[in-house]
């Protein structure tokens, strides 16, 4: 995309089609655009498995991309439940690049989504 002047404008969703659904299964905690790149925070994962992650993105020029990522979960540690990400009262995850006001409130858009420092 760099040769076209296009860039990632939004992460539409992140799916893990191979996730087991177990409480210790691989889970998306939050996703955000950081320094122009799609950034996702994952938690959990069954040791000894390889998980497929699909990141659905929309570019500024209207392109839709869905790159697949293969992530090997090593057997070096035991399976544990993921630590929940910070969330708003509406259960919307708050990524670390959300804009926080002086009173520690998170700045939200009209749809209730955090404004991000990208």
């Amino acid at each position: 995309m760099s040769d076209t002047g296009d860039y990632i404008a939004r992460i539409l969703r992140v799916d893990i089609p191979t996730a087991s659904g177990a409480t210790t299964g691989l889970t998306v905690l939050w996703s955000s655009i950081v320094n122009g790149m799609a950034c996702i925070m994952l938690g959990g994962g069954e040791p000894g498995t390889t998980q497929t992650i699909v990141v659905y993105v929309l570019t500024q020029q209207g392109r839709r991309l869905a790159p697949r990522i293969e992530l090997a979960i090593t057997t070096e540690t035991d399976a544990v439940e993921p630590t929940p990400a910070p969330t708003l009262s509406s259960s919307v995850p708050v990524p670390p690049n959300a804009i926080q006001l002086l009173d520690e409130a998170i700045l939200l858009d009209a749809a209730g989504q955090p404004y991000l420092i990208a």
Side-chain angles (χ1 to χ4, degrees), residues 60-101:
Q60 179 269 331
Q61 293 179 4
R63 295 179 184 153
R64 293 178 182 268
L65 307 166
R68 299 176 81 79
I69 302 159
E70 299 292 319
L71 177 66
I73 311 293
T74 69
T75 57
E76 302 300 317
T77 59
D78 296 329
V80 296
E81 289 187 31
T83 302
T87 58
L88 300 172
S89 60
S90 62
S91 299
V92 171
V94 179
N97 62 332
I99 298 175
Q100 190 171 21
L101 303 174

